[in-house]
Amino acid sequence: MRFDADLSDARMTVVLDIRHPFAYLALGPTIGFGKHNDLQLNWLPLSAQTLRPPSIPPSSDAAEDRSIRHKRNRAQMIAREIAVYAEAQGLLVEEPYRDGPAAAIELAWLWIRAAAPGALEAFLEEAFARYWAKQLDAGSIEHAAALVAHCGFDADRFVAWAEHEGPGAAAAVSRQLAEAGIFQTPALLVADQVFYGRQHLPMVGWLLGGRRGPGPI
Amino acid sequence: MEASDSRLSTTGHFTPVFARLRGEARLAVYIDLKSPYAYIAIEPTRAMARSIGVEIDWRPFTLDIPSYLGSAKLAKDGKTVESATRTNQQWSGVRYAYADARRYAALTGKTIRGTIKIWDSSLAGIAMLWAKRQGGFDAFVDTVYPPFWRRELDIDDLAVLERAISESDLDATGFRDWAEAEGRALHDRTNDEAFDAGVYGVPSYLVEDEMWFGREHLPRVAFILAGREGTPPDVANRRFGT
């Protein structure tokens, strides 16, 4: 079983942080993109930066720093963006501002990726859906093992791996992603380029298709 | 506007403030000369609007970059950073943004060189307002964006902007006085109104009661302008009308 990040061999690598709503919004379209283009995608987990909620406006008329107002405007826009596009995709995002550890689900992700790569996308869809419905503690090995079992795999073998080799393998993947300069998700790595965000899928498709015709702008 | 405001808010995620800011225009778009993302958004935005038959109400919005991305200035050699108040994370974001804008710009033959400092582009914004009063916003923008991003245009210099107005086949007579008085006041007022309403970056799009930041939302803007028929599209950097 191969647990390394496989960045050099893969035609296209997709890096997601389960805790970021933009990663959830990217999951379905990216799976669809892979299927449409007959690609075996290299899915990798990364605990990067999570989303911060907008600050609360001051109750008085006191002057407020412009940078704080800027951040609030931006955070409010991102919240609207998540709500509108989640609704369009039929996704439930119970609470966009999630934090906490995701190590357990990342271990399960890497284990399924190595043990049953053909089942990984179904596993990710289930994991993300449960997490964003607040039915999954991404830091809990018990929750991760239950999900592994739900997907039809041997949870005991996963737990044994997660307690021994797993953390080292996960740390190696994180290190490889850091060395590749990945600092946020969703990240799409293709043709020696990094793209942050699912809006780049047309460009990625154009690159993978041999740059035929006018590129997306 | 109040009557039409209650008709809007189709998604329930927006407030009437954006419809009020948009005013009578069906589509209002905010840009800033010093934003590479605004530069590369102009062409697809025009193509999208053309494909639907909608006029664009272009508006300048002068970004206050140091307030949210820290400040930085290159030394005279044009390569080393002379002074900066940016965090590593801010640097990563800025470097990625330039690289990202550059690869898309290259597809349409545009040059985006790294900037040497964070410009105060308010004078350029005032010049956009001047050009807009003469119906020459597009011509002016097409005159100033390419050389600015080749680092060939000093937008701190009023005389340079005066010349750009003339090169756009517009009348620059009186621009200098206007820029220092009414033009400055108009620019500052409209900038504050936009910021107070929630605009914070460029390109920003106002359509019906919605506000979107970034050209990746053009598919949604087009969907709304075309009457919201069919399945709402996802974000995408893509071409229109081809």
Side-chain angles (χ1 to χ4, degrees), chain A residues 49 66-67 69-70 73 77 80 83-85 87 193-196 198-200 203 206 215-217, chain B residues 13-14 18 64 67-68 89 96 100 103-104 107 195-196 200 211 215-217 220 234 237 239:
Chain A
Q49 195 181 11
R66 189 178 172 96
S67 70
R69 293 175 63 205
H70 175 99
N73 283 351
M77 183 68 243
R80 286 190 291 266
V84 167
Y85 287 105
E87 195 171 279
Q193 296 192 55
V194 179
F195 297 87
Y196 293 114
R198 69 194 189 282
Q199 69 270 23
H200 297 291
M203 172 67 110
W206 182 73
I217 56 174
Chain B
H13 302 300
F14 293 85
F18 297 123
D64 180 6
S67 78
Y68 62 94
Q89 191 189 357
Y96 171 77
D100 185 42
R103 62 188 163 197
Y104 281 99
L107 294 178
F195 185 71
D196 290 345
Y200 64 94
M211 191 268 281
R215 77 188 191 289
E216 65 268 31
H217 299 289
R220 180 168 181 87
D234 201 5
N237 294 336
R239 284 181 185 265

Side-chain angles (χ1 to χ4, degrees), chain A residues 18-42:
Chain A
I18 195 171
R19 304 167 307 161
H20 203 297
F22 281 164
Y24 189 23
L25 289 172
L27 180 64
T30 310
I31 289 174
F33 174 85
K35 288 192 170 127
H36 179 75
N37 292 285
D38 199 20
L39 294 170
Q40 272 224 319
L41 303 179
N42 180 32

Side-chain angles (χ1 to χ4, degrees), chain B:
Chain B
M1 281 309 300
E2 290 304 320
S4 62
D5 286 343
S6 61
R7 179 177 55 80
L8 298 172
S9 287
T10 48
T11 62
H13 302 300
F14 293 85
T15 66
V17 70
F18 297 123
R20 278 199 290 273
L21 184 64
R22 175 175 54 79
E24 298 301 316
R26 284 189 69 199
L27 172 63
V29 184
Y30 288 89
I31 58 171
D32 183 352
L33 183 58
K34 69 174 173 288
S35 163
Y37 277 130
Y39 183 23
I40 61 174
I42 289 170
E43 196 172 323
T45 301
R46 284 176 179 165
M48 182 280 295
R50 259 197 317 271
S51 72
I52 301 196
V54 170
E55 292 276 323
I56 304 170
D57 180 2
W58 293 100
R59 301 172 184 180
F61 180 75
T62 302
L63 298 168
D64 180 6
I65 292 177
S67 78
Y68 62 94
L69 265 182
S71 66
K73 186 180 178 186
L74 282 186
K76 283 183 182 160
D77 64 9
K79 292 174 183 168
T80 52
V81 178
E82 185 177 85
S83 61
T85 61
R86 282 181 173 156
T87 63
N88 285 341
Q89 191 189 357
Q90 286 173 330
W91 271 119
S92 296
V94 170
R95 287 195 182 107
Y96 171 77
Y98 269 90
D100 185 42
R102 211 169 267 141
R103 62 188 163 197
Y104 281 99
L107 294 178
T108 48
K110 295 181 183 71
T111 299
I112 293 182
R113 294 187 65 192
T115 186
I116 50 173
K117 65 174 184 176
I118 297 172
W119 295 89
D120 173 4
S121 53
S122 61
L123 269 182
I126 293 167
M128 285 183 193
L129 291 170
W130 175 266
K132 187 175 175 179
R133 282 168 24 133
Q134 297 181 46
F137 192 95
D138 281 13
F140 178 72
V141 157
D142 290 344
T143 300
V144 292
Y145 260 107
F148 175 72
W149 283 102
R150 292 194 303 262
R151 283 199 206 159
E152 295 169 3
L153 203 69
D154 179 2
I155 58 169
D156 285 341
D157 188 337
L158 209 49
V160 168
L161 290 168
E162 243 175 344
R163 203 159 46 242
I165 290 169
S166 298
E167 286 168 6
S168 308
D169 291 329
L170 301 170
D171 186 359
T173 311
F175 170 67
R176 186 173 286 264
D177 290 341
W178 188 81
E180 288 169 353
E182 302 102 294
R184 167 62 64 183
L186 176 63
H187 166 275
D188 291 355
R189 190 178 70 246
T190 52
N191 222 58
D192 286 347
E193 282 169 1
F195 185 71
D196 290 345
V199 175
Y200 64 94
V202 293
S204 279
Y205 300 88
L206 296 175
V207 56
E208 290 190 356
D209 66 335
E210 298 191 3
M211 191 268 281
W212 293 100
F213 164 58
R215 77 188 191 289
E216 65 268 31
H217 299 289
L218 279 173
R220 180 168 181 87
V221 173
F223 167 75
I224 294 169
L225 288 170
R228 297 178 187 262
E229 287 178 9
T231 308
D234 201 5
V235 292
N237 294 336
R238 48 156 283 206
R239 284 181 185 265
F240 287 85
T242 52

Side-chain angles (χ1 to χ4, degrees), chain A residues 18 42 46-47 59-60 62 65 73 80-81 84 97 107 115 118 125 130 136 139 162 164 173 195 199 201 207 211 214:
Chain A
I18 195 171
N42 180 32
L46 178 71
S47 284
S59 51
S60 69
D65 185 72
N73 283 351
R80 286 190 291 266
E81 181 177 340
V84 167
Y97 310 108
L107 284 169
E125 286 179 310
R130 286 188 187 194
L136 174 77
H164 296 95
V173 167
F195 297 87
Q199 69 270 23
L201 285 171
L207 291 173
R211 302 172 189 251

Side-chain angles (χ1 to χ4, degrees), chain A:
Chain A
M1 294 204 295
R2 187 170 182 179
F3 292 104
D4 69 305
D6 189 21
L7 296 181
S8 57
D9 297 342
R11 282 192 80 198
M12 178 174 166
T13 293
V14 185
V15 186
L16 301 179
D17 183 342
I18 195 171
R19 304 167 307 161
H20 203 297
F22 281 164
Y24 189 23
L25 289 172
L27 180 64
T30 310
I31 289 174
F33 174 85
K35 288 192 170 127
H36 179 75
N37 292 285
D38 199 20
L39 294 170
Q40 272 224 319
L41 303 179
N42 180 32
W43 298 92
L44 292 172
L46 178 71
S47 284
Q49 195 181 11
T50 53
L51 198 60
R52 299 274 183 273
S55 58
I56 297 164
S59 51
S60 69
D61 290 337
E64 193 179 23
D65 185 72
R66 189 178 172 96
S67 70
I68 293 172
R69 293 175 63 205
H70 175 99
K71 284 176 188 157
R72 185 184 308 119
N73 283 351
R74 181 173 179 274
Q76 288 172 338
M77 183 68 243
I78 288 171
R80 286 190 291 266
E81 181 177 340
I82 291 163
V84 167
Y85 287 105
E87 195 171 279
Q89 287 191 36
L91 302 178
L92 174 66
V93 177
E94 276 280 350
E95 158 62 54
Y97 310 108
R98 303 289 299 279
D99 215 329
I105 205 65
E106 290 175 3
L107 284 169
W109 177 333
L110 291 174
W111 190 78
I112 297 272
R113 173 176 171 268
L120 182 60
E121 290 178 355
F123 167 84
L124 292 175
E125 286 179 310
E126 185 67 23
F128 275 73
R130 286 188 187 194
Y131 180 78
W132 288 101
K134 289 186 142 183
Q135 294 167 357
L136 174 77
D137 176 353
S140 161
I141 282 291
E142 289 77 19
H143 281 218
L147 187 56
V148 166
H150 171 83
C151 292
F153 297 97
D154 186 338
D156 291 339
R157 278 186 60 208
F158 159 66
V159 171
W161 178 81
E163 286 175 347
H164 296 95
E165 307 98 303
V173 167
S174 295
R175 198 167 48 245
Q176 285 173 280
L177 290 172
E179 284 166 6
I182 310 303
F183 61 92
Q184 65 185 47
T185 79
L188 312 172
L189 284 68
V190 64
D192 295 326
Q193 296 192 55
V194 179
F195 297 87
Y196 293 114
R198 69 194 189 282
Q199 69 270 23
H200 297 291
L201 285 171
M203 172 67 110
V204 169
W206 182 73
L207 291 173
L208 289 171
R211 302 172 189 251
R212 282 195 291 275
I217 56 174

